[in-house]
Amino acid sequence: QKEVEQDPGPLSVPEGAIVSLNCTYSNSAFQYFMWYRQYSRKGPELLMYTYSSGNKEDGRFTAQVDKSSKYISLFIRDSQPSDSATYLCAMSGAGVNTGKLIFGQGTTLQVKP
Amino acid sequence: DTGVSQDPRHKITKRGQNVTFRCDPISEHNRLYWYRQTLGQGPEFLTYFQNEAQLEKSRLLSDRFSAERPKGSFSTLEIQRTEQGDSAMYLCASSLSGRGDTQYFGPGTRLTVL
């Protein structure tokens, strides 16, 4: 079993829809939770960063962390075709190397105009 | 542009050849990470440096792989005797050290081994 599980999709939604992306994890030692966006054949771009449990909002994006359930989510409001990309959840803070990121598989999102 | 840069962006090589990739981190960042990403998967950690010291290597990093960061600035990743299974995107990221350091990724080097 992987440390971080993420539904690979693909997920297809109409423009303007609310998108919900999720990851579950098994290592309770993770403390830092991130969402990266990756366009095809490009490097990951940091979208959201959250420490411990709680919510964080940035424009159309909201990240939620529920450490008790080992579950994190990213919500995208008013989705746009430019949001079409692969979304990767990532976690760190466990073990000696607290900076090492453990990624989910990535969810491919397509927003149709 | 002050982001992370990687060179080359693409590399095609024949099985058995050696290849070397370079990563230039954001200038004030003292940590540098290498990850490998195969199609349809998330990046997997390979190794990381704090300044010039290589502090951790993944079990994914076989003896054919070696990484250096000689002066604590740029880093190189060399793969000797490449195999078809080495075909992947090799990503570099940099950060300022600290718990939960925020990592910024470069564009990656896409390696194809024929």
Side-chain angles (χ1 to χ4, degrees), chain A residues 2 31-32 36 38 41 43-44 46 49 88 97-101 103-105, chain B residues 33 35 37 40-43 45 48 56 99-103 105-107 110:
Chain A
K2 293 184 178 181
Q31 299 181 56
Y32 305 95
Y36 284 84
Q38 187 174 30
R41 297 183 178 271
L46 181 66
Y49 176 100
L88 296 156
N97 177 1
T98 59
K100 177 171 68 177
L101 293 178
F103 283 87
Q105 184 177 355
Chain B
Y33 295 81
Y35 293 84
Q37 186 177 25
Q41 301 297 317
F45 170 80
Y48 97 102
E56 185 176 348
R99 293 185 67 83
D101 51 322
T102 303
Q103 295 180 32
F105 282 81
R110 181 168 296 279

PDB file of all heavy atoms in Angstrom, chain A residues 2 31-32 36 38 41 43-44 46 49 88 97-101 103-105, chain B residues 33 35 37 40-43 45 48 56 99-103 105-107 110:
ATOM      1  N   LYS A   2       0.528   2.199  -0.869  1.00  0.00           N
ATOM      2  CA  LYS A   2       1.289   3.429  -0.939  1.00  0.00           C
ATOM      3  C   LYS A   2       1.004   4.296   0.270  1.00  0.00           C
ATOM      4  O   LYS A   2      -0.084   4.251   0.849  1.00  0.00           O
ATOM      5  CB  LYS A   2       0.923   4.180  -2.222  1.00  0.00           C
ATOM      6  CG  LYS A   2       1.350   3.475  -3.490  1.00  0.00           C
ATOM      7  CD  LYS A   2       1.041   4.326  -4.706  1.00  0.00           C
ATOM      8  CE  LYS A   2       1.522   3.640  -5.971  1.00  0.00           C
ATOM      9  NZ  LYS A   2       1.253   4.467  -7.183  1.00  0.00           N
ATOM     10  N   GLN A  31       3.126  16.275   8.621  1.00  0.00           N
ATOM     11  CA  GLN A  31       2.654  17.510   9.243  1.00  0.00           C
ATOM     12  C   GLN A  31       2.413  18.623   8.233  1.00  0.00           C
ATOM     13  O   GLN A  31       1.708  19.586   8.534  1.00  0.00           O
ATOM     14  CB  GLN A  31       3.701  18.009  10.249  1.00  0.00           C
ATOM     15  CG  GLN A  31       3.983  17.060  11.387  1.00  0.00           C
ATOM     16  CD  GLN A  31       4.997  17.664  12.328  1.00  0.00           C
ATOM     17  OE1 GLN A  31       4.809  18.754  12.855  1.00  0.00           O
ATOM     18  NE2 GLN A  31       6.100  16.953  12.529  1.00  0.00           N
ATOM     19  N   TYR A  32       3.056  18.522   7.066  1.00  0.00           N
ATOM     20  CA  TYR A  32       2.974  19.585   6.077  1.00  0.00           C
ATOM     21  C   TYR A  32       2.328  19.010   4.828  1.00  0.00           C
ATOM     22  O   TYR A  32       2.720  17.944   4.349  1.00  0.00           O
ATOM     23  CB  TYR A  32       4.371  20.130   5.771  1.00  0.00           C
ATOM     24  CG  TYR A  32       5.096  20.592   7.013  1.00  0.00           C
ATOM     25  CD1 TYR A  32       5.968  19.732   7.671  1.00  0.00           C
ATOM     26  CD2 TYR A  32       4.877  21.856   7.539  1.00  0.00           C
ATOM     27  CE1 TYR A  32       6.617  20.135   8.828  1.00  0.00           C
ATOM     28  CE2 TYR A  32       5.526  22.269   8.687  1.00  0.00           C
ATOM     29  CZ  TYR A  32       6.390  21.398   9.331  1.00  0.00           C
ATOM     30  OH  TYR A  32       7.027  21.799  10.468  1.00  0.00           O
ATOM     31  N   TYR A  36       0.256  20.644  -5.608  1.00  0.00           N
ATOM     32  CA  TYR A  36       0.991  21.147  -6.762  1.00  0.00           C
ATOM     33  C   TYR A  36       0.134  20.959  -8.002  1.00  0.00           C
ATOM     34  O   TYR A  36      -0.629  19.998  -8.113  1.00  0.00           O
ATOM     35  CB  TYR A  36       2.309  20.389  -6.969  1.00  0.00           C
ATOM     36  CG  TYR A  36       3.415  20.760  -6.003  1.00  0.00           C
ATOM     37  CD1 TYR A  36       3.511  20.179  -4.744  1.00  0.00           C
ATOM     38  CD2 TYR A  36       4.397  21.678  -6.371  1.00  0.00           C
ATOM     39  CE1 TYR A  36       4.539  20.516  -3.871  1.00  0.00           C
ATOM     40  CE2 TYR A  36       5.427  22.027  -5.511  1.00  0.00           C
ATOM     41  CZ  TYR A  36       5.489  21.433  -4.254  1.00  0.00           C
ATOM     42  OH  TYR A  36       6.519  21.764  -3.405  1.00  0.00           O
ATOM     43  N   GLN A  38       0.497  20.557 -12.169  1.00  0.00           N
ATOM     44  CA  GLN A  38       1.491  20.215 -13.184  1.00  0.00           C
ATOM     45  C   GLN A  38       0.838  20.173 -14.554  1.00  0.00           C
ATOM     46  O   GLN A  38      -0.057  19.345 -14.793  1.00  0.00           O
ATOM     47  CB  GLN A  38       2.163  18.874 -12.856  1.00  0.00           C
ATOM     48  CG  GLN A  38       3.310  18.527 -13.774  1.00  0.00           C
ATOM     49  CD  GLN A  38       4.051  17.270 -13.354  1.00  0.00           C
ATOM     50  OE1 GLN A  38       3.473  16.359 -12.755  1.00  0.00           O
ATOM     51  NE2 GLN A  38       5.346  17.204 -13.646  1.00  0.00           N
ATOM     52  N   ARG A  41       4.162  17.905 -19.393  1.00  0.00           N
ATOM     53  CA  ARG A  41       5.581  18.028 -19.707  1.00  0.00           C
ATOM     54  C   ARG A  41       6.250  19.241 -19.045  1.00  0.00           C
ATOM     55  O   ARG A  41       7.239  19.774 -19.548  1.00  0.00           O
ATOM     56  CB  ARG A  41       5.806  18.042 -21.222  1.00  0.00           C
ATOM     57  CG  ARG A  41       5.360  16.746 -21.871  1.00  0.00           C
ATOM     58  CD  ARG A  41       5.635  16.709 -23.348  1.00  0.00           C
ATOM     59  NE  ARG A  41       5.237  15.431 -23.915  1.00  0.00           N
ATOM     60  CZ  ARG A  41       6.032  14.367 -24.002  1.00  0.00           C
ATOM     61  NH1 ARG A  41       7.271  14.435 -23.563  1.00  0.00           N
ATOM     62  NH2 ARG A  41       5.595  13.251 -24.512  1.00  0.00           N
ATOM     63  N   GLY A  43       7.303  21.110 -14.978  1.00  0.00           N
ATOM     64  CA  GLY A  43       7.550  20.791 -13.583  1.00  0.00           C
ATOM     65  C   GLY A  43       6.354  21.166 -12.716  1.00  0.00           C
ATOM     66  O   GLY A  43       5.532  22.010 -13.103  1.00  0.00           O
ATOM     67  N   PRO A  44       6.199  20.548 -11.550  1.00  0.00           N
ATOM     68  CA  PRO A  44       5.104  20.898 -10.632  1.00  0.00           C
ATOM     69  C   PRO A  44       5.237  22.326 -10.120  1.00  0.00           C
ATOM     70  O   PRO A  44       6.337  22.797  -9.838  1.00  0.00           O
ATOM     71  CB  PRO A  44       5.274  19.892  -9.494  1.00  0.00           C
ATOM     72  CG  PRO A  44       6.089  18.772 -10.056  1.00  0.00           C
ATOM     73  CD  PRO A  44       7.000  19.402 -11.047  1.00  0.00           C
ATOM     74  N   LEU A  46       3.796  24.937  -7.135  1.00  0.00           N
ATOM     75  CA  LEU A  46       3.130  24.937  -5.833  1.00  0.00           C
ATOM     76  C   LEU A  46       1.884  25.812  -5.861  1.00  0.00           C
ATOM     77  O   LEU A  46       1.927  26.978  -6.249  1.00  0.00           O
ATOM     78  CB  LEU A  46       4.094  25.442  -4.760  1.00  0.00           C
ATOM     79  CG  LEU A  46       3.538  25.467  -3.342  1.00  0.00           C
ATOM     80  CD1 LEU A  46       3.252  24.052  -2.841  1.00  0.00           C
ATOM     81  CD2 LEU A  46       4.517  26.172  -2.402  1.00  0.00           C
ATOM     82  N   TYR A  49      -0.193  25.397   0.462  1.00  0.00           N
ATOM     83  CA  TYR A  49       0.673  24.827   1.496  1.00  0.00           C
ATOM     84  C   TYR A  49      -0.049  24.976   2.831  1.00  0.00           C
ATOM     85  O   TYR A  49      -0.467  26.075   3.188  1.00  0.00           O
ATOM     86  CB  TYR A  49       2.004  25.587   1.514  1.00  0.00           C
ATOM     87  CG  TYR A  49       2.976  25.168   2.587  1.00  0.00           C
ATOM     88  CD1 TYR A  49       4.037  24.324   2.282  1.00  0.00           C
ATOM     89  CD2 TYR A  49       2.861  25.637   3.891  1.00  0.00           C
ATOM     90  CE1 TYR A  49       4.946  23.958   3.248  1.00  0.00           C
ATOM     91  CE2 TYR A  49       3.749  25.265   4.870  1.00  0.00           C
ATOM     92  CZ  TYR A  49       4.799  24.425   4.539  1.00  0.00           C
ATOM     93  OH  TYR A  49       5.702  24.056   5.508  1.00  0.00           O
ATOM     94  N   LEU A  88      -1.316  17.309  -7.977  1.00  0.00           N
ATOM     95  CA  LEU A  88      -0.564  16.376  -7.140  1.00  0.00           C
ATOM     96  C   LEU A  88      -0.658  16.804  -5.684  1.00  0.00           C
ATOM     97  O   LEU A  88      -0.361  17.964  -5.363  1.00  0.00           O
ATOM     98  CB  LEU A  88       0.913  16.374  -7.540  1.00  0.00           C
ATOM     99  CG  LEU A  88       1.265  15.898  -8.941  1.00  0.00           C
ATOM    100  CD1 LEU A  88       2.596  16.484  -9.387  1.00  0.00           C
ATOM    101  CD2 LEU A  88       1.338  14.380  -8.970  1.00  0.00           C
ATOM    102  N   ASN A  97      14.332  12.992   7.661  1.00  0.00           N
ATOM    103  CA  ASN A  97      14.356  13.994   6.594  1.00  0.00           C
ATOM    104  C   ASN A  97      12.979  14.609   6.474  1.00  0.00           C
ATOM    105  O   ASN A  97      12.141  14.137   5.730  1.00  0.00           O
ATOM    106  CB  ASN A  97      14.781  13.344   5.281  1.00  0.00           C
ATOM    107  CG  ASN A  97      14.760  14.326   4.121  1.00  0.00           C
ATOM    108  OD1 ASN A  97      14.451  15.505   4.289  1.00  0.00           O
ATOM    109  ND2 ASN A  97      15.063  13.839   2.940  1.00  0.00           N
ATOM    110  N   THR A  98      12.757  15.656   7.237  1.00  0.00           N
ATOM    111  CA  THR A  98      11.414  16.223   7.288  1.00  0.00           C
ATOM    112  C   THR A  98      11.051  16.972   6.019  1.00  0.00           C
ATOM    113  O   THR A  98       9.906  17.331   5.830  1.00  0.00           O
ATOM    114  CB  THR A  98      11.285  17.174   8.479  1.00  0.00           C
ATOM    115  OG1 THR A  98      12.268  18.216   8.344  1.00  0.00           O
ATOM    116  CG2 THR A  98      11.506  16.439   9.779  1.00  0.00           C
ATOM    117  N   GLY A  99      12.019  17.226   5.146  1.00  0.00           N
ATOM    118  CA  GLY A  99      11.727  17.971   3.934  1.00  0.00           C
ATOM    119  C   GLY A  99      11.319  17.124   2.761  1.00  0.00           C
ATOM    120  O   GLY A  99      10.744  17.607   1.795  1.00  0.00           O
ATOM    121  N   LYS A 100      11.592  15.816   2.830  1.00  0.00           N
ATOM    122  CA  LYS A 100      11.306  14.937   1.700  1.00  0.00           C
ATOM    123  C   LYS A 100       9.814  14.903   1.433  1.00  0.00           C
ATOM    124  O   LYS A 100       9.011  14.647   2.327  1.00  0.00           O
ATOM    125  CB  LYS A 100      11.823  13.538   2.018  1.00  0.00           C
ATOM    126  CG  LYS A 100      11.527  12.498   0.949  1.00  0.00           C
ATOM    127  CD  LYS A 100      12.263  11.214   1.245  1.00  0.00           C
ATOM    128  CE  LYS A 100      11.746  10.518   2.471  1.00  0.00           C
ATOM    129  NZ  LYS A 100      12.444   9.228   2.688  1.00  0.00           N
ATOM    130  N   LEU A 101       9.440  15.138   0.178  1.00  0.00           N
ATOM    131  CA  LEU A 101       8.029  15.125  -0.197  1.00  0.00           C
ATOM    132  C   LEU A 101       7.626  13.730  -0.650  1.00  0.00           C
ATOM    133  O   LEU A 101       8.328  13.095  -1.430  1.00  0.00           O
ATOM    134  CB  LEU A 101       7.757  16.120  -1.313  1.00  0.00           C
ATOM    135  CG  LEU A 101       7.915  17.606  -0.980  1.00  0.00           C
ATOM    136  CD1 LEU A 101       7.666  18.456  -2.218  1.00  0.00           C
ATOM    137  CD2 LEU A 101       6.971  18.008   0.134  1.00  0.00           C
ATOM    138  N   PHE A 103       4.554  12.119  -2.678  1.00  0.00           N
ATOM    139  CA  PHE A 103       3.489  12.554  -3.570  1.00  0.00           C
ATOM    140  C   PHE A 103       2.438  11.478  -3.768  1.00  0.00           C
ATOM    141  O   PHE A 103       2.729  10.276  -3.719  1.00  0.00           O
ATOM    142  CB  PHE A 103       4.063  12.892  -4.959  1.00  0.00           C
ATOM    143  CG  PHE A 103       4.762  14.205  -5.046  1.00  0.00           C
ATOM    144  CD1 PHE A 103       6.106  14.310  -4.725  1.00  0.00           C
ATOM    145  CD2 PHE A 103       4.088  15.338  -5.452  1.00  0.00           C
ATOM    146  CE1 PHE A 103       6.772  15.518  -4.819  1.00  0.00           C
ATOM    147  CE2 PHE A 103       4.736  16.556  -5.549  1.00  0.00           C
ATOM    148  CZ  PHE A 103       6.081  16.648  -5.228  1.00  0.00           C
ATOM    149  N   GLY A 104       1.223  11.935  -4.050  1.00  0.00           N
ATOM    150  CA  GLY A 104       0.204  11.054  -4.578  1.00  0.00           C
ATOM    151  C   GLY A 104       0.440  10.852  -6.069  1.00  0.00           C
ATOM    152  O   GLY A 104       1.337  11.444  -6.671  1.00  0.00           O
ATOM    153  N   GLN A 105      -0.381  10.012  -6.664  1.00  0.00           N
ATOM    154  CA  GLN A 105      -0.228   9.667  -8.067  1.00  0.00           C
ATOM    155  C   GLN A 105      -0.570  10.823  -8.994  1.00  0.00           C
ATOM    156  O   GLN A 105      -0.093  10.882 -10.123  1.00  0.00           O
ATOM    157  CB  GLN A 105      -1.122   8.463  -8.368  1.00  0.00           C
ATOM    158  CG  GLN A 105      -1.009   7.901  -9.761  1.00  0.00           C
ATOM    159  CD  GLN A 105      -1.870   6.663  -9.933  1.00  0.00           C
ATOM    160  OE1 GLN A 105      -2.476   6.165  -8.999  1.00  0.00           O
ATOM    161  NE2 GLN A 105      -1.938   6.164 -11.161  1.00  0.00           N
TER     162      GLN A 105
ATOM    163  N   TYR B  33      16.853  19.090  -4.027  1.00  0.00           N
ATOM    164  CA  TYR B  33      16.267  17.752  -4.089  1.00  0.00           C
ATOM    165  C   TYR B  33      16.233  17.270  -5.537  1.00  0.00           C
ATOM    166  O   TYR B  33      16.010  18.060  -6.461  1.00  0.00           O
ATOM    167  CB  TYR B  33      14.828  17.761  -3.583  1.00  0.00           C
ATOM    168  CG  TYR B  33      14.655  18.113  -2.122  1.00  0.00           C
ATOM    169  CD1 TYR B  33      14.672  19.428  -1.682  1.00  0.00           C
ATOM    170  CD2 TYR B  33      14.435  17.113  -1.176  1.00  0.00           C
ATOM    171  CE1 TYR B  33      14.497  19.750  -0.344  1.00  0.00           C
ATOM    172  CE2 TYR B  33      14.245  17.413   0.162  1.00  0.00           C
ATOM    173  CZ  TYR B  33      14.277  18.735   0.575  1.00  0.00           C
ATOM    174  OH  TYR B  33      14.095  19.039   1.909  1.00  0.00           O
ATOM    175  N   TYR B  35      14.097  14.349  -7.808  1.00  0.00           N
ATOM    176  CA  TYR B  35      12.980  13.418  -7.859  1.00  0.00           C
ATOM    177  C   TYR B  35      12.928  12.818  -9.263  1.00  0.00           C
ATOM    178  O   TYR B  35      13.418  13.397 -10.231  1.00  0.00           O
ATOM    179  CB  TYR B  35      11.644  14.141  -7.604  1.00  0.00           C
ATOM    180  CG  TYR B  35      11.468  14.696  -6.209  1.00  0.00           C
ATOM    181  CD1 TYR B  35      11.981  15.946  -5.874  1.00  0.00           C
ATOM    182  CD2 TYR B  35      10.764  13.992  -5.243  1.00  0.00           C
ATOM    183  CE1 TYR B  35      11.808  16.469  -4.600  1.00  0.00           C
ATOM    184  CE2 TYR B  35      10.569  14.498  -3.967  1.00  0.00           C
ATOM    185  CZ  TYR B  35      11.105  15.739  -3.657  1.00  0.00           C
ATOM    186  OH  TYR B  35      10.922  16.253  -2.389  1.00  0.00           O
ATOM    187  N   GLN B  37      10.050  11.106 -12.025  1.00  0.00           N
ATOM    188  CA  GLN B  37       8.620  10.956 -12.294  1.00  0.00           C
ATOM    189  C   GLN B  37       8.424  10.167 -13.574  1.00  0.00           C
ATOM    190  O   GLN B  37       8.922  10.556 -14.631  1.00  0.00           O
ATOM    191  CB  GLN B  37       7.940  12.328 -12.413  1.00  0.00           C
ATOM    192  CG  GLN B  37       6.434  12.245 -12.551  1.00  0.00           C
ATOM    193  CD  GLN B  37       5.786  13.611 -12.605  1.00  0.00           C
ATOM    194  OE1 GLN B  37       6.394  14.596 -12.990  1.00  0.00           O
ATOM    195  NE2 GLN B  37       4.513  13.686 -12.204  1.00  0.00           N
ATOM    196  N   GLY B  40       2.212   9.076 -15.581  1.00  0.00           N
ATOM    197  CA  GLY B  40       1.036   8.706 -14.809  1.00  0.00           C
ATOM    198  C   GLY B  40       1.273   8.540 -13.327  1.00  0.00           C
ATOM    199  O   GLY B  40       0.376   8.106 -12.604  1.00  0.00           O
ATOM    200  N   GLN B  41       2.478   8.874 -12.875  1.00  0.00           N
ATOM    201  CA  GLN B  41       2.805   8.744 -11.450  1.00  0.00           C
ATOM    202  C   GLN B  41       3.250  10.083 -10.881  1.00  0.00           C
ATOM    203  O   GLN B  41       3.657  10.982 -11.617  1.00  0.00           O
ATOM    204  CB  GLN B  41       3.933   7.721 -11.257  1.00  0.00           C
ATOM    205  CG  GLN B  41       3.618   6.333 -11.771  1.00  0.00           C
ATOM    206  CD  GLN B  41       2.447   5.698 -11.039  1.00  0.00           C
ATOM    207  OE1 GLN B  41       2.342   5.781  -9.814  1.00  0.00           O
ATOM    208  NE2 GLN B  41       1.548   5.072 -11.779  1.00  0.00           N
ATOM    209  N   GLY B  42       3.192  10.202  -9.556  1.00  0.00           N
ATOM    210  CA  GLY B  42       3.740  11.377  -8.919  1.00  0.00           C
ATOM    211  C   GLY B  42       5.249  11.280  -8.808  1.00  0.00           C
ATOM    212  O   GLY B  42       5.812  10.184  -8.943  1.00  0.00           O
ATOM    213  N   PRO B  43       5.920  12.387  -8.570  1.00  0.00           N
ATOM    214  CA  PRO B  43       7.380  12.340  -8.408  1.00  0.00           C
ATOM    215  C   PRO B  43       7.775  11.472  -7.215  1.00  0.00           C
ATOM    216  O   PRO B  43       7.077  11.429  -6.200  1.00  0.00           O
ATOM    217  CB  PRO B  43       7.749  13.813  -8.159  1.00  0.00           C
ATOM    218  CG  PRO B  43       6.622  14.597  -8.765  1.00  0.00           C
ATOM    219  CD  PRO B  43       5.402  13.759  -8.539  1.00  0.00           C
ATOM    220  N   PHE B  45      11.041  10.639  -4.589  1.00  0.00           N
ATOM    221  CA  PHE B  45      12.284  11.193  -4.048  1.00  0.00           C
ATOM    222  C   PHE B  45      13.466  10.310  -4.417  1.00  0.00           C
ATOM    223  O   PHE B  45      13.420   9.088  -4.297  1.00  0.00           O
ATOM    224  CB  PHE B  45      12.152  11.285  -2.527  1.00  0.00           C
ATOM    225  CG  PHE B  45      13.423  11.609  -1.804  1.00  0.00           C
ATOM    226  CD1 PHE B  45      13.874  12.912  -1.728  1.00  0.00           C
ATOM    227  CD2 PHE B  45      14.170  10.610  -1.193  1.00  0.00           C
ATOM    228  CE1 PHE B  45      15.049  13.213  -1.045  1.00  0.00           C
ATOM    229  CE2 PHE B  45      15.336  10.905  -0.520  1.00  0.00           C
ATOM    230  CZ  PHE B  45      15.773  12.206  -0.440  1.00  0.00           C
ATOM    231  N   TYR B  48      18.775  14.221  -1.609  1.00  0.00           N
ATOM    232  CA  TYR B  48      18.781  15.647  -1.362  1.00  0.00           C
ATOM    233  C   TYR B  48      20.084  16.106  -0.711  1.00  0.00           C
ATOM    234  O   TYR B  48      20.806  15.309  -0.088  1.00  0.00           O
ATOM    235  CB  TYR B  48      17.565  16.091  -0.549  1.00  0.00           C
ATOM    236  CG  TYR B  48      17.746  16.249   0.940  1.00  0.00           C
ATOM    237  CD1 TYR B  48      17.888  17.512   1.510  1.00  0.00           C
ATOM    238  CD2 TYR B  48      17.724  15.141   1.775  1.00  0.00           C
ATOM    239  CE1 TYR B  48      18.013  17.665   2.880  1.00  0.00           C
ATOM    240  CE2 TYR B  48      17.850  15.286   3.144  1.00  0.00           C
ATOM    241  CZ  TYR B  48      17.980  16.547   3.697  1.00  0.00           C
ATOM    242  OH  TYR B  48      18.111  16.694   5.061  1.00  0.00           O
ATOM    243  N   GLU B  56      20.654  12.302   2.234  1.00  0.00           N
ATOM    244  CA  GLU B  56      19.827  11.102   2.129  1.00  0.00           C
ATOM    245  C   GLU B  56      19.747  10.652   0.689  1.00  0.00           C
ATOM    246  O   GLU B  56      19.703  11.471  -0.228  1.00  0.00           O
ATOM    247  CB  GLU B  56      18.414  11.340   2.664  1.00  0.00           C
ATOM    248  CG  GLU B  56      17.561  10.061   2.678  1.00  0.00           C
ATOM    249  CD  GLU B  56      16.179  10.257   3.287  1.00  0.00           C
ATOM    250  OE1 GLU B  56      15.940  11.306   3.896  1.00  0.00           O
ATOM    251  OE2 GLU B  56      15.346   9.340   3.143  1.00  0.00           O
ATOM    252  N   ARG B  99      11.820  22.916   8.924  1.00  0.00           N
ATOM    253  CA  ARG B  99      10.769  21.924   8.910  1.00  0.00           C
ATOM    254  C   ARG B  99       9.678  22.354   7.943  1.00  0.00           C
ATOM    255  O   ARG B  99       9.250  23.488   7.942  1.00  0.00           O
ATOM    256  CB  ARG B  99      10.214  21.739  10.315  1.00  0.00           C
ATOM    257  CG  ARG B  99      11.204  21.127  11.285  1.00  0.00           C
ATOM    258  CD  ARG B  99      10.544  20.867  12.613  1.00  0.00           C
ATOM    259  NE  ARG B  99       9.530  19.832  12.522  1.00  0.00           N
ATOM    260  CZ  ARG B  99       9.789  18.537  12.563  1.00  0.00           C
ATOM    261  NH1 ARG B  99      11.021  18.105  12.677  1.00  0.00           N
ATOM    262  NH2 ARG B  99       8.812  17.651  12.484  1.00  0.00           N
ATOM    263  N   GLY B 100       9.263  21.427   7.096  1.00  0.00           N
ATOM    264  CA  GLY B 100       8.218  21.750   6.135  1.00  0.00           C
ATOM    265  C   GLY B 100       8.657  22.759   5.102  1.00  0.00           C
ATOM    266  O   GLY B 100       7.866  23.583   4.650  1.00  0.00           O
ATOM    267  N   ASP B 101       9.932  22.727   4.719  1.00  0.00           N
ATOM    268  CA  ASP B 101      10.430  23.711   3.739  1.00  0.00           C
ATOM    269  C   ASP B 101       9.653  23.622   2.436  1.00  0.00           C
ATOM    270  O   ASP B 101       9.333  22.543   1.968  1.00  0.00           O
ATOM    271  CB  ASP B 101      11.928  23.529   3.496  1.00  0.00           C
ATOM    272  CG  ASP B 101      12.322  22.100   3.171  1.00  0.00           C
ATOM    273  OD1 ASP B 101      11.751  21.168   3.768  1.00  0.00           O
ATOM    274  OD2 ASP B 101      13.193  21.913   2.314  1.00  0.00           O
ATOM    275  N   THR B 102       9.372  24.782   1.864  1.00  0.00           N
ATOM    276  CA  THR B 102       8.612  24.870   0.615  1.00  0.00           C
ATOM    277  C   THR B 102       9.545  24.631  -0.560  1.00  0.00           C
ATOM    278  O   THR B 102      10.525  25.350  -0.730  1.00  0.00           O
ATOM    279  CB  THR B 102       7.966  26.252   0.492  1.00  0.00           C
ATOM    280  OG1 THR B 102       7.136  26.473   1.627  1.00  0.00           O
ATOM    281  CG2 THR B 102       7.124  26.329  -0.770  1.00  0.00           C
ATOM    282  N   GLN B 103       9.234  23.636  -1.356  1.00  0.00           N
ATOM    283  CA  GLN B 103      10.086  23.262  -2.472  1.00  0.00           C
ATOM    284  C   GLN B 103       9.537  23.811  -3.772  1.00  0.00           C
ATOM    285  O   GLN B 103       8.345  23.674  -4.072  1.00  0.00           O
ATOM    286  CB  GLN B 103      10.211  21.738  -2.550  1.00  0.00           C
ATOM    287  CG  GLN B 103      10.937  21.171  -1.333  1.00  0.00           C
ATOM    288  CD  GLN B 103      11.075  19.679  -1.360  1.00  0.00           C
ATOM    289  OE1 GLN B 103      11.193  19.074  -2.419  1.00  0.00           O
ATOM    290  NE2 GLN B 103      11.066  19.082  -0.193  1.00  0.00           N
ATOM    291  N   PHE B 105      10.032  23.658  -7.891  1.00  0.00           N
ATOM    292  CA  PHE B 105      10.536  22.713  -8.875  1.00  0.00           C
ATOM    293  C   PHE B 105      11.001  23.404 -10.148  1.00  0.00           C
ATOM    294  O   PHE B 105      10.465  24.444 -10.550  1.00  0.00           O
ATOM    295  CB  PHE B 105       9.456  21.694  -9.238  1.00  0.00           C
ATOM    296  CG  PHE B 105       9.277  20.624  -8.204  1.00  0.00           C
ATOM    297  CD1 PHE B 105       8.536  20.851  -7.070  1.00  0.00           C
ATOM    298  CD2 PHE B 105       9.887  19.382  -8.357  1.00  0.00           C
ATOM    299  CE1 PHE B 105       8.387  19.869  -6.100  1.00  0.00           C
ATOM    300  CE2 PHE B 105       9.738  18.392  -7.403  1.00  0.00           C
ATOM    301  CZ  PHE B 105       8.990  18.632  -6.276  1.00  0.00           C
ATOM    302  N   GLY B 106      11.982  22.785 -10.780  1.00  0.00           N
ATOM    303  CA  GLY B 106      12.393  23.175 -12.104  1.00  0.00           C
ATOM    304  C   GLY B 106      11.519  22.524 -13.158  1.00  0.00           C
ATOM    305  O   GLY B 106      10.609  21.758 -12.832  1.00  0.00           O
ATOM    306  N   PRO B 107      11.810  22.789 -14.435  1.00  0.00           N
ATOM    307  CA  PRO B 107      10.989  22.254 -15.523  1.00  0.00           C
ATOM    308  C   PRO B 107      11.235  20.783 -15.803  1.00  0.00           C
ATOM    309  O   PRO B 107      10.456  20.154 -16.515  1.00  0.00           O
ATOM    310  CB  PRO B 107      11.403  23.109 -16.722  1.00  0.00           C
ATOM    311  CG  PRO B 107      12.793  23.526 -16.409  1.00  0.00           C
ATOM    312  CD  PRO B 107      12.855  23.698 -14.930  1.00  0.00           C
ATOM    313  N   ARG B 110      13.661  15.457 -19.385  1.00  0.00           N
ATOM    314  CA  ARG B 110      13.002  14.225 -19.833  1.00  0.00           C
ATOM    315  C   ARG B 110      14.033  13.328 -20.497  1.00  0.00           C
ATOM    316  O   ARG B 110      14.636  13.711 -21.494  1.00  0.00           O
ATOM    317  CB  ARG B 110      11.883  14.547 -20.814  1.00  0.00           C
ATOM    318  CG  ARG B 110      11.136  13.308 -21.304  1.00  0.00           C
ATOM    319  CD  ARG B 110       9.854  13.666 -22.032  1.00  0.00           C
ATOM    320  NE  ARG B 110       8.904  14.326 -21.139  1.00  0.00           N
ATOM    321  CZ  ARG B 110       8.114  13.686 -20.284  1.00  0.00           C
ATOM    322  NH1 ARG B 110       8.166  12.364 -20.185  1.00  0.00           N
ATOM    323  NH2 ARG B 110       7.260  14.356 -19.536  1.00  0.00           N
TER     324      ARG B 110
END
